[in-house]
Amino acid sequence: MAKNKQASSAKFYLLTLGCPKNQVDSEGITEMLYQSDYQSVGDPNQAEILIVNTCGFLQAAKDESIAALNELAQSKRKNQLLIAAGCMAQRFGNDITRQVKGLDGLIGTRAWADIVPFIQKLRANKRPEPLYHLPETGDVVLETIALDRQLVERGRASAYLKISDGCSAPCAFCTIPSFKGLNRSRPQEHLITEAKQLAETGVHEVIIIAQDTTAYGRDWGEMDGLPTLLEQLVQAAPEIKWWRLMYAYPGHVSPRLIEVMAAHPQIIPYIDLPLQHGDPATLKRMHRPHNVDKLVRWIESYRQAMPGAVIRTTFIVGYPGETEAEFDGLLDFMETVQFDRVGAFTFSPEPGTPAFDLPDQIAPEIQQERWERLMAFQQPISLARNQLCVGQQLDVIVDGIGDGVSVARSYRDAPEIDGYVVIEQELPIGQMLSVQVTGAMEYDLLAKPNDNMILDHRIGDLRF
Ligand code: SF4
């Protein structure tokens, strides 16, 4: 990648909204700007370039992105550039420029790798209208880029590794394929290089993400490519202590995935498997895999193969046509599976998706009531799962300290999504330590440091 010394010392402020997948794109943007000698600042007032990496998944996310852009636009100085990047920019284009006065440019999900020349173009633009770089087709950029992860990650305990982008699943409520395109897997050699770089920076935990991690390799005809990739990553970077798997698709999880996870203790026994519903009729209308019995059998195998294995999922409640019986079916499913972690959303009709036009849309107050019932239903299950940890030793990564306690995460907690392990002592941030669990709540655990805190890998000792 050619360096652009001309831009030397220009400062940028980058605000990232949305999910970890956006976070990874932001790290790519940051890396490219670093390579061209731009400097990152945490205060927008000190920056010449203001970038918001937006989220456009649901209306609420769009509102948040518009609000963030407007806030920056209102305090923008004459010599500052304001850029909307990411999903919402790609999805809504003109609509955003109508709602945000003072926007200088929009760069989409397929184009962020062009951030440096795009900024140059904006600087040269003398016209008041914003410039657009929102290609509607083409490869998702990460497919072709080998990032240098050492530029951004140094000093962090956890890092994301995005193995593919886009999605080829047909979910009737989802807008993602419309603006990210179909699933495109990144070359294995790029991912292995990045894994080694991350290990060199001292990262303990690598979180594997994509819209659908289990679709890895399907675009080149490898129908179960993820287990092989995991084996290669673990081998390439043995220093990484935790490999965490997010965003698996229920139709693509395989027995081989369980085998590979069970054979490599570094691949922690945690899976995020967003199921969206548990009633076959609702799942069918969602255009999602609806063989619930098969899925339950896979989950049983997963738990049998790895003592202490954790499953996180998310559900959508109030999907069009969801009857009271279907909602009860979802609760029955939750009772059967006993998920460790559950997140839930009320259905949001997104224009352009098949679900938007479905009959029997559910009234917001019924959606809300069902959401509350679902969350209350899950609480004792989460508590019971957490109570199984009491008395056990767990390895944790310390995320923060204050008031005499440390806030840490065990392998059971994905960052910014799950709960915490609260330890009665201030410990070094970023370190991986061993603790003993002394108490459990619905979302969090309480723990005390072990006498010999510096760890080896002990997940395999857990007996649930
Ligand atoms: S698998 Fe996820 S990202 Fe893909 S279409 Fe379905 S909900 Fe959207």
Side-chain angles (χ1 to χ4, degrees):
M1 217 169 296
K3 283 197 173 190
N4 170 25
K5 294 289 180 189
Q6 271 186 334
S8 177
S9 81
K11 297 188 179 76
F12 70 96
Y13 167 81
L14 172 56
L15 175 66
T16 305
L17 302 172
C19 67
K21 289 151 266 188
N22 233 24
Q23 178 68 36
V24 173
D25 289 353
S26 281
E27 287 166 6
I29 290 171
T30 301
E31 183 198 311
M32 290 189 166
L33 292 171
Y34 281 177
Q35 290 199 358
S36 291
D37 293 328
Y38 287 80
Q39 288 175 34
S40 168
V41 289
D43 176 0
N45 292 319
Q46 292 175 9
E48 287 98 62
I49 298 137
L50 308 167
I51 306 170
V52 181
N53 196 5
T54 59
C55 174
F57 183 43
L58 300 173
Q59 184 60 40
K62 186 184 166 197
D63 293 345
E64 187 189 13
S65 295
I66 294 281
L69 284 165
N70 270 322
E71 195 179 327
L72 288 171
Q74 276 154 23
S75 58
K76 197 181 98 166
R77 295 191 309 273
K78 209 173 164 215
N79 62 346
Q80 285 181 312
L81 292 175
L82 177 59
I83 301 171
C87 297
M88 188 187 66
Q90 183 81 44
R91 190 175 167 206
F92 294 107
N94 277 328
D95 193 29
I96 301 169
T97 44
R98 272 195 295 275
Q99 293 187 58
V100 183
K101 300 295 167 215
L103 201 56
D104 297 286
L106 293 92
I107 186 164
T109 42
R110 291 184 172 95
W112 61 254
D114 296 333
I115 187 72
V116 172
F118 187 61
I119 288 171
Q120 289 173 329
K121 228 170 145 184
L122 294 181
R123 287 180 147 175
N125 181 32
K126 300 289 174 232
R127 294 167 37 174
E129 298 85 31
L131 297 182
Y132 296 80
H133 187 22
L134 307 171
E136 285 180 13
T137 56
D139 294 337
V140 176
V141 288
L142 259 182
E143 189 195 353
T144 53
I145 295 172
L147 296 171
D148 179 355
R149 303 298 300 271
Q150 297 198 30
L151 283 175
V152 180
E153 304 287 354
R154 195 164 287 286
R156 295 191 193 174
S158 299
Y160 292 103
L161 184 64
K162 194 177 193 177
I163 61 172
S164 62
D165 211 339
C167 187
S168 300
C171 307
F173 51 83
C174 184
T175 54
I176 285 172
S178 72
F179 60 86
K180 288 225 161 182
L182 298 177
N183 173 66
R184 302 301 296 259
S185 306
R186 299 183 62 206
Q188 283 178 6
E189 57 271 24
H190 288 189
L191 297 171
I192 285 170
T193 302
E194 285 183 32
K196 288 178 179 169
Q197 290 170 345
L198 290 173
E200 281 170 27
T201 67
V203 158
H204 295 311
E205 174 186 32
V206 176
I207 304 151
I208 295 179
I209 60 168
Q211 300 302 333
D212 169 9
T213 51
T214 45
Y216 185 77
R218 286 187 159 234
D219 43 319
W220 58 64
E222 197 178 345
M223 301 314 276
D224 195 18
L226 178 65
T228 307
L229 175 69
L230 288 172
E231 284 178 318
Q232 291 177 344
L233 290 172
V234 167
Q235 201 182 1
E239 305 89 340
I240 307 278
K241 297 192 178 70
W242 291 353
W243 293 90
R244 183 185 298 280
L245 191 56
M246 304 296 289
Y247 311 123
Y249 181 75
H252 297 159
V253 289
S254 67
R256 188 164 138 67
L257 178 61
I258 298 173
E259 277 168 34
V260 169
M261 290 178 81
H264 297 88
Q266 305 97 310
I267 308 171
I268 54 178
Y270 175 106
I271 194 163
D272 174 48
L273 190 60
L275 297 175
Q276 315 302 1
H277 213 277
D279 185 273
T282 322
L283 285 167
K284 216 169 177 177
R285 286 198 306 283
M286 288 177 161
H287 302 175
R288 300 267 306 174
H290 49 272
N291 188 339
V292 173
D293 293 340
K294 186 176 167 198
L295 183 65
V296 169
R297 285 197 298 277
W298 187 88
I299 292 171
E300 280 168 4
S301 306
Y302 165 78
R303 280 187 167 144
Q304 275 165 13
M306 287 167 280
V310 169
I311 300 191
R312 176 187 174 79
T313 195
T314 38
F315 293 121
I316 294 173
V317 294
Y319 190 73
E322 185 192 58
T323 60
E324 197 57 39
E326 288 177 9
F327 180 69
D328 285 345
L330 169 57
L331 299 185
D332 288 346
F333 175 65
M334 291 165 64
E335 178 72 33
T336 302
V337 174
Q338 300 281 298
F339 291 98
D340 299 85
R341 317 277 194 206
V342 170
F345 301 93
T346 53
F347 169 72
S348 162
E350 293 300 312
T353 62
F356 185 80
D357 297 317
L358 281 177
D360 304 320
Q361 301 277 333
I362 307 291
E365 58 276 14
I366 297 176
Q367 288 187 325
Q368 182 63 22
E369 186 271 326
R370 287 182 185 169
W371 181 87
E372 284 167 16
R373 241 192 305 160
L374 182 145
M375 296 310 279
F377 188 84
Q378 175 61 26
Q379 279 198 353
I381 298 174
S382 292
L383 178 61
R385 300 292 301 167
N386 269 357
Q387 281 170 336
L388 293 171
C389 299
V390 176
Q392 307 262 6
Q393 293 193 6
L394 280 180
D395 300 345
V396 297
I397 295 174
V398 179
D399 278 350
I401 53 173
D403 296 332
V405 299
S406 299
V407 175
R409 290 180 298 107
S410 77
Y411 78 95
R412 306 177 77 252
D413 312 300
E416 294 172 32
I417 294 175
D418 295 321
Y420 289 107
V421 180
V422 180
I423 307 160
E424 316 142 359
Q425 188 176 320
E426 293 197 0
L427 298 163
I429 293 175
Q431 281 222 355
M432 204 172 201
L433 307 161
S434 174
V435 297
Q436 175 149 21
V437 181
T438 55
M441 297 173 281
E442 281 88 352
Y443 302 113
D444 302 326
L445 295 175
L446 302 173
K448 63 176 186 182
N450 276 330
D451 294 339
N452 183 6
M453 288 190 298
I454 304 300
L455 69 103
D456 49 13
H457 204 71
R458 275 202 201 89
I459 285 168
D461 294 346
L462 284 174
R463 291 289 176 268
F464 285 4

